[in-house]
Amino acid sequence: MIKAAVTWLLRQWQLFCLALAFFSRIPVPAATPFSPELLNQSSRYLSLVGLLLGALQAFVLLSAAQLLPFSIAVLLALMAGLVLTGAFHEDGLADTADGLGGGLSLERKLDIMKDSRVGTYGLVTLLTVFLIKWQSLTALETQAMWALLLGAGLSRATAISLTFVLPYQQLDSVSKTKPIATSLQKRALLCIWLFVMPPLYFVALPLALFLLATLISCFILLYFYYRSQLKGYTGDLLGAAQQLTELSLYLVWLIWWRQQ
């Protein structure tokens, strides 16, 4: 029994490392195995990876705020997020903005999203989202660290949840597409949310309810919008979902904070 438990723990560690390697630039053991099946299984740890990334950003914010003005500390924390993920989700946001903003047909939208170049829609969207996140976190003051932590985990849990209700929109083999988990088990969804729910207990109950309502609203809106635009999802659309949900959480948190 002990051997079976050790084997199970080792397998879970490998899956976590695979999720960490896929969704961030944080180094993992070179011996970490990879396969499409393992990638699907590792998705259960996506929200945990998000919490880790958010915690690292919060640490950067806390450290920088001891020496620099708070607004600059927030900027450094956001930049740390870009470095830690290689702007993985931001790239998806830019491609989604270009594709859905510049294409009229399904085929044309997908063609635009394959292009590695960033267009006007993508550039404007990236700048707008980044600036609003910067100003929102700056205005949150002492709440900003918790917002970074929870926003990173909850937004990723919401984005990956879309894969359970939308079909994967396959791109052609020569497109600029990213590998992505496309066949997730229902029990993985339970794990995804189990990791991010406990931290909500550390915030005020009204705020926790507002954040949950925001997640549900983002999920519903994104579901219907993606279904109407592409009849499914791609890796880029999931990246955009993560960014937009994270931004929404910051704004709702700021609204609640200003009322206190």
Side-chain angles (χ1 to χ4, degrees):
M1 178 156 318
I2 295 179
K3 182 178 180 180
V6 171
T7 301
W8 183 84
L9 288 173
L10 178 60
R11 180 59 171 262
Q12 299 310 308
W13 169 249
Q14 291 175 337
L15 292 177
F16 172 75
C17 288
L18 180 56
L20 189 62
F22 179 65
F23 292 107
S24 79
R25 295 293 179 88
I26 298 176
V28 300
T32 302
F34 171 82
S35 71
E37 179 183 358
L38 290 176
L39 178 59
N40 287 329
Q41 295 178 25
S42 73
S43 64
R44 71 188 65 173
Y45 291 111
L46 173 57
S47 59
L48 184 58
V49 170
L51 289 175
L52 174 61
L53 295 172
L56 292 173
Q57 286 184 273
F59 176 76
V60 171
L61 174 58
L62 179 62
S63 301
Q66 308 303 313
L67 303 171
L68 298 167
F70 191 73
S71 62
I72 298 180
V74 171
L75 185 60
L76 291 176
L78 290 175
M79 292 176 64
L82 296 177
V83 173
L84 288 169
T85 64
F88 185 73
H89 304 294
E90 287 78 6
D91 179 64
L93 175 64
D95 287 340
T96 297
D98 283 332
L100 302 188
L104 297 179
S105 66
L106 173 61
E107 293 73 18
R108 181 54 181 160
K109 291 172 184 176
L110 291 175
D111 285 339
I112 295 175
M113 291 170 68
K114 298 171 195 174
D115 196 330
S116 59
R117 294 170 295 182
V118 177
T120 302
Y121 287 108
L123 180 59
V124 171
T125 300
L126 279 176
L127 288 175
T128 301
V129 169
F130 187 86
L131 288 174
I132 294 177
K133 285 201 287 188
W134 177 33
Q135 289 301 298
S136 297
L137 289 169
T138 300
L140 278 170
E141 301 174 342
T142 57
Q143 294 284 305
M145 288 182 293
W146 274 108
L148 281 168
L149 174 66
L150 283 172
L154 292 171
S155 61
R156 285 167 172 82
T158 302
I160 199 66
S161 296
L162 289 167
T163 65
F164 289 86
V165 294
L166 288 171
Y168 179 56
Q169 185 62 259
Q170 180 69 54
L171 302 180
D172 64 72
S173 59
V174 297
S175 67
K176 185 196 70 71
T177 184
K178 310 176 184 70
I180 185 173
T182 59
S183 179
L184 308 182
Q185 299 176 344
K186 291 183 178 179
R187 62 183 178 182
L189 182 62
L190 179 62
C191 293
I192 289 167
W193 285 100
L194 279 178
F195 288 126
V196 291
M197 294 305 291
L200 281 174
Y201 288 108
F202 294 94
V203 301
L205 179 59
L207 174 59
L209 294 176
F210 279 130
L211 295 178
L212 289 174
T214 302
L215 295 177
I216 295 172
S217 299
C218 288
F219 179 84
I220 293 174
L221 291 173
L222 288 167
Y223 166 74
F224 283 108
Y225 184 62
Y226 287 174
R227 192 176 70 169
S228 68
Q229 291 293 312
L230 289 183
K231 307 184 188 311
Y233 74 92
T234 66
D236 286 329
L237 264 61
L238 294 184
Q242 186 276 323
Q243 286 289 293
L244 295 176
T245 303
E246 183 181 24
L247 176 63
S248 299
L249 290 172
Y250 292 163
L251 291 175
V252 169
W253 200 316
L254 181 58
I255 292 172
W256 178 84
W257 175 250
R258 289 175 62 86
Q259 302 305 314
Q260 303 308 303

PDB file of all heavy atoms in Angstrom, residues 47-69:
ATOM      1  N   SER A  47      -5.401  25.633 -11.910  1.00  0.00           N
ATOM      2  CA  SER A  47      -5.726  26.690 -10.950  1.00  0.00           C
ATOM      3  C   SER A  47      -4.680  26.763  -9.846  1.00  0.00           C
ATOM      4  O   SER A  47      -4.387  27.853  -9.324  1.00  0.00           O
ATOM      5  CB  SER A  47      -7.117  26.458 -10.350  1.00  0.00           C
ATOM      6  OG  SER A  47      -7.178  25.203  -9.691  1.00  0.00           O
ATOM      7  N   LEU A  48      -4.079  25.628  -9.477  1.00  0.00           N
ATOM      8  CA  LEU A  48      -3.018  25.629  -8.470  1.00  0.00           C
ATOM      9  C   LEU A  48      -1.786  26.349  -9.016  1.00  0.00           C
ATOM     10  O   LEU A  48      -1.128  27.112  -8.288  1.00  0.00           O
ATOM     11  CB  LEU A  48      -2.669  24.202  -8.072  1.00  0.00           C
ATOM     12  CG  LEU A  48      -1.631  24.040  -6.951  1.00  0.00           C
ATOM     13  CD1 LEU A  48      -2.098  24.743  -5.682  1.00  0.00           C
ATOM     14  CD2 LEU A  48      -1.366  22.563  -6.683  1.00  0.00           C
ATOM     15  N   VAL A  49      -1.479  26.121 -10.281  1.00  0.00           N
ATOM     16  CA  VAL A  49      -0.395  26.862 -10.930  1.00  0.00           C
ATOM     17  C   VAL A  49      -0.705  28.352 -10.902  1.00  0.00           C
ATOM     18  O   VAL A  49       0.172  29.183 -10.640  1.00  0.00           O
ATOM     19  CB  VAL A  49      -0.189  26.371 -12.372  1.00  0.00           C
ATOM     20  CG1 VAL A  49       0.764  27.311 -13.127  1.00  0.00           C
ATOM     21  CG2 VAL A  49       0.363  24.956 -12.385  1.00  0.00           C
ATOM     22  N   GLY A  50      -1.957  28.697 -11.160  1.00  0.00           N
ATOM     23  CA  GLY A  50      -2.364  30.101 -11.118  1.00  0.00           C
ATOM     24  C   GLY A  50      -2.147  30.710  -9.746  1.00  0.00           C
ATOM     25  O   GLY A  50      -1.653  31.845  -9.628  1.00  0.00           O
ATOM     26  N   LEU A  51      -2.505  29.972  -8.700  1.00  0.00           N
ATOM     27  CA  LEU A  51      -2.290  30.478  -7.343  1.00  0.00           C
ATOM     28  C   LEU A  51      -0.807  30.677  -7.058  1.00  0.00           C
ATOM     29  O   LEU A  51      -0.423  31.661  -6.412  1.00  0.00           O
ATOM     30  CB  LEU A  51      -2.891  29.507  -6.323  1.00  0.00           C
ATOM     31  CG  LEU A  51      -4.420  29.434  -6.265  1.00  0.00           C
ATOM     32  CD1 LEU A  51      -4.857  28.352  -5.290  1.00  0.00           C
ATOM     33  CD2 LEU A  51      -5.018  30.777  -5.863  1.00  0.00           C
ATOM     34  N   LEU A  52       0.021  29.769  -7.539  1.00  0.00           N
ATOM     35  CA  LEU A  52       1.463  29.916  -7.352  1.00  0.00           C
ATOM     36  C   LEU A  52       1.978  31.154  -8.062  1.00  0.00           C
ATOM     37  O   LEU A  52       2.754  31.938  -7.491  1.00  0.00           O
ATOM     38  CB  LEU A  52       2.181  28.665  -7.873  1.00  0.00           C
ATOM     39  CG  LEU A  52       3.714  28.733  -7.880  1.00  0.00           C
ATOM     40  CD1 LEU A  52       4.254  28.931  -6.465  1.00  0.00           C
ATOM     41  CD2 LEU A  52       4.306  27.472  -8.513  1.00  0.00           C
ATOM     42  N   LEU A  53       1.546  31.359  -9.291  1.00  0.00           N
ATOM     43  CA  LEU A  53       1.965  32.547 -10.039  1.00  0.00           C
ATOM     44  C   LEU A  53       1.483  33.818  -9.348  1.00  0.00           C
ATOM     45  O   LEU A  53       2.219  34.807  -9.252  1.00  0.00           O
ATOM     46  CB  LEU A  53       1.430  32.472 -11.469  1.00  0.00           C
ATOM     47  CG  LEU A  53       1.984  31.346 -12.339  1.00  0.00           C
ATOM     48  CD1 LEU A  53       1.220  31.269 -13.660  1.00  0.00           C
ATOM     49  CD2 LEU A  53       3.473  31.533 -12.597  1.00  0.00           C
ATOM     50  N   GLY A  54       0.237  33.800  -8.879  1.00  0.00           N
ATOM     51  CA  GLY A  54      -0.298  34.958  -8.174  1.00  0.00           C
ATOM     52  C   GLY A  54       0.458  35.234  -6.884  1.00  0.00           C
ATOM     53  O   GLY A  54       0.693  36.397  -6.523  1.00  0.00           O
ATOM     54  N   ALA A  55       0.854  34.168  -6.172  1.00  0.00           N
ATOM     55  CA  ALA A  55       1.616  34.337  -4.939  1.00  0.00           C
ATOM     56  C   ALA A  55       2.985  34.955  -5.223  1.00  0.00           C
ATOM     57  O   ALA A  55       3.470  35.812  -4.463  1.00  0.00           O
ATOM     58  CB  ALA A  55       1.777  32.988  -4.239  1.00  0.00           C
ATOM     59  N   LEU A  56       3.617  34.538  -6.310  1.00  0.00           N
ATOM     60  CA  LEU A  56       4.914  35.114  -6.684  1.00  0.00           C
ATOM     61  C   LEU A  56       4.771  36.584  -7.055  1.00  0.00           C
ATOM     62  O   LEU A  56       5.627  37.415  -6.696  1.00  0.00           O
ATOM     63  CB  LEU A  56       5.516  34.322  -7.843  1.00  0.00           C
ATOM     64  CG  LEU A  56       5.958  32.893  -7.510  1.00  0.00           C
ATOM     65  CD1 LEU A  56       6.389  32.154  -8.781  1.00  0.00           C
ATOM     66  CD2 LEU A  56       7.084  32.896  -6.489  1.00  0.00           C
ATOM     67  N   GLN A  57       3.703  36.916  -7.762  1.00  0.00           N
ATOM     68  CA  GLN A  57       3.459  38.325  -8.087  1.00  0.00           C
ATOM     69  C   GLN A  57       3.202  39.141  -6.814  1.00  0.00           C
ATOM     70  O   GLN A  57       3.685  40.276  -6.693  1.00  0.00           O
ATOM     71  CB  GLN A  57       2.255  38.446  -9.024  1.00  0.00           C
ATOM     72  CG  GLN A  57       2.530  38.026 -10.447  1.00  0.00           C
ATOM     73  CD  GLN A  57       1.331  38.273 -11.334  1.00  0.00           C
ATOM     74  OE1 GLN A  57       0.434  37.435 -11.444  1.00  0.00           O
ATOM     75  NE2 GLN A  57       1.292  39.428 -11.965  1.00  0.00           N
ATOM     76  N   ALA A  58       2.438  38.560  -5.889  1.00  0.00           N
ATOM     77  CA  ALA A  58       2.167  39.251  -4.626  1.00  0.00           C
ATOM     78  C   ALA A  58       3.463  39.473  -3.841  1.00  0.00           C
ATOM     79  O   ALA A  58       3.644  40.527  -3.211  1.00  0.00           O
ATOM     80  CB  ALA A  58       1.171  38.442  -3.799  1.00  0.00           C
ATOM     81  N   PHE A  59       4.366  38.502  -3.904  1.00  0.00           N
ATOM     82  CA  PHE A  59       5.660  38.647  -3.224  1.00  0.00           C
ATOM     83  C   PHE A  59       6.474  39.772  -3.844  1.00  0.00           C
ATOM     84  O   PHE A  59       7.101  40.565  -3.127  1.00  0.00           O
ATOM     85  CB  PHE A  59       6.432  37.331  -3.298  1.00  0.00           C
ATOM     86  CG  PHE A  59       7.814  37.410  -2.720  1.00  0.00           C
ATOM     87  CD1 PHE A  59       8.001  37.428  -1.345  1.00  0.00           C
ATOM     88  CD2 PHE A  59       8.933  37.482  -3.550  1.00  0.00           C
ATOM     89  CE1 PHE A  59       9.290  37.520  -0.807  1.00  0.00           C
ATOM     90  CE2 PHE A  59      10.204  37.568  -3.023  1.00  0.00           C
ATOM     91  CZ  PHE A  59      10.387  37.594  -1.645  1.00  0.00           C
ATOM     92  N   VAL A  60       6.467  39.848  -5.165  1.00  0.00           N
ATOM     93  CA  VAL A  60       7.173  40.943  -5.845  1.00  0.00           C
ATOM     94  C   VAL A  60       6.576  42.285  -5.438  1.00  0.00           C
ATOM     95  O   VAL A  60       7.301  43.247  -5.160  1.00  0.00           O
ATOM     96  CB  VAL A  60       7.099  40.766  -7.372  1.00  0.00           C
ATOM     97  CG1 VAL A  60       7.644  42.004  -8.090  1.00  0.00           C
ATOM     98  CG2 VAL A  60       7.882  39.528  -7.805  1.00  0.00           C
ATOM     99  N   LEU A  61       5.259  42.349  -5.382  1.00  0.00           N
ATOM    100  CA  LEU A  61       4.586  43.587  -4.985  1.00  0.00           C
ATOM    101  C   LEU A  61       4.961  43.990  -3.564  1.00  0.00           C
ATOM    102  O   LEU A  61       5.301  45.148  -3.301  1.00  0.00           O
ATOM    103  CB  LEU A  61       3.070  43.408  -5.097  1.00  0.00           C
ATOM    104  CG  LEU A  61       2.207  44.566  -4.590  1.00  0.00           C
ATOM    105  CD1 LEU A  61       2.537  45.855  -5.330  1.00  0.00           C
ATOM    106  CD2 LEU A  61       0.727  44.225  -4.727  1.00  0.00           C
ATOM    107  N   LEU A  62       4.900  43.026  -2.644  1.00  0.00           N
ATOM    108  CA  LEU A  62       5.228  43.315  -1.250  1.00  0.00           C
ATOM    109  C   LEU A  62       6.671  43.774  -1.101  1.00  0.00           C
ATOM    110  O   LEU A  62       6.960  44.729  -0.369  1.00  0.00           O
ATOM    111  CB  LEU A  62       4.982  42.067  -0.400  1.00  0.00           C
ATOM    112  CG  LEU A  62       5.308  42.177   1.095  1.00  0.00           C
ATOM    113  CD1 LEU A  62       4.438  43.238   1.750  1.00  0.00           C
ATOM    114  CD2 LEU A  62       5.121  40.833   1.789  1.00  0.00           C
ATOM    115  N   SER A  63       7.571  43.117  -1.800  1.00  0.00           N
ATOM    116  CA  SER A  63       8.988  43.465  -1.689  1.00  0.00           C
ATOM    117  C   SER A  63       9.282  44.827  -2.306  1.00  0.00           C
ATOM    118  O   SER A  63       9.978  45.662  -1.709  1.00  0.00           O
ATOM    119  CB  SER A  63       9.840  42.388  -2.376  1.00  0.00           C
ATOM    120  OG  SER A  63       9.621  41.116  -1.802  1.00  0.00           O
ATOM    121  N   ALA A  64       8.750  45.057  -3.502  1.00  0.00           N
ATOM    122  CA  ALA A  64       9.028  46.321  -4.194  1.00  0.00           C
ATOM    123  C   ALA A  64       8.395  47.506  -3.470  1.00  0.00           C
ATOM    124  O   ALA A  64       8.939  48.619  -3.505  1.00  0.00           O
ATOM    125  CB  ALA A  64       8.514  46.244  -5.627  1.00  0.00           C
ATOM    126  N   ALA A  65       7.248  47.273  -2.822  1.00  0.00           N
ATOM    127  CA  ALA A  65       6.546  48.366  -2.136  1.00  0.00           C
ATOM    128  C   ALA A  65       7.335  48.878  -0.933  1.00  0.00           C
ATOM    129  O   ALA A  65       7.053  49.993  -0.446  1.00  0.00           O
ATOM    130  CB  ALA A  65       5.162  47.900  -1.693  1.00  0.00           C
ATOM    131  N   GLN A  66       8.311  48.092  -0.444  1.00  0.00           N
ATOM    132  CA  GLN A  66       9.137  48.556   0.673  1.00  0.00           C
ATOM    133  C   GLN A  66      10.142  49.618   0.243  1.00  0.00           C
ATOM    134  O   GLN A  66      10.645  50.378   1.084  1.00  0.00           O
ATOM    135  CB  GLN A  66       9.895  47.365   1.278  1.00  0.00           C
ATOM    136  CG  GLN A  66       9.034  46.176   1.647  1.00  0.00           C
ATOM    137  CD  GLN A  66       7.932  46.533   2.619  1.00  0.00           C
ATOM    138  OE1 GLN A  66       8.167  47.212   3.619  1.00  0.00           O
ATOM    139  NE2 GLN A  66       6.720  46.079   2.322  1.00  0.00           N
ATOM    140  N   LEU A  67      10.420  49.670  -1.065  1.00  0.00           N
ATOM    141  CA  LEU A  67      11.463  50.566  -1.551  1.00  0.00           C
ATOM    142  C   LEU A  67      10.969  51.599  -2.550  1.00  0.00           C
ATOM    143  O   LEU A  67      11.609  52.640  -2.728  1.00  0.00           O
ATOM    144  CB  LEU A  67      12.585  49.739  -2.213  1.00  0.00           C
ATOM    145  CG  LEU A  67      13.244  48.665  -1.340  1.00  0.00           C
ATOM    146  CD1 LEU A  67      14.173  47.802  -2.200  1.00  0.00           C
ATOM    147  CD2 LEU A  67      14.010  49.302  -0.197  1.00  0.00           C
ATOM    148  N   LEU A  68       9.856  51.312  -3.213  1.00  0.00           N
ATOM    149  CA  LEU A  68       9.389  52.158  -4.310  1.00  0.00           C
ATOM    150  C   LEU A  68       7.952  52.611  -4.076  1.00  0.00           C
ATOM    151  O   LEU A  68       7.232  52.017  -3.266  1.00  0.00           O
ATOM    152  CB  LEU A  68       9.465  51.375  -5.630  1.00  0.00           C
ATOM    153  CG  LEU A  68      10.861  50.908  -6.064  1.00  0.00           C
ATOM    154  CD1 LEU A  68      10.738  49.896  -7.194  1.00  0.00           C
ATOM    155  CD2 LEU A  68      11.704  52.103  -6.496  1.00  0.00           C
ATOM    156  N   PRO A  69       7.522  53.658  -4.785  1.00  0.00           N
ATOM    157  CA  PRO A  69       6.113  54.044  -4.722  1.00  0.00           C
ATOM    158  C   PRO A  69       5.214  52.863  -5.097  1.00  0.00           C
ATOM    159  O   PRO A  69       5.586  52.024  -5.919  1.00  0.00           O
ATOM    160  CB  PRO A  69       6.016  55.174  -5.752  1.00  0.00           C
ATOM    161  CG  PRO A  69       7.395  55.744  -5.798  1.00  0.00           C
ATOM    162  CD  PRO A  69       8.316  54.575  -5.612  1.00  0.00           C
TER     163      PRO A  69
END
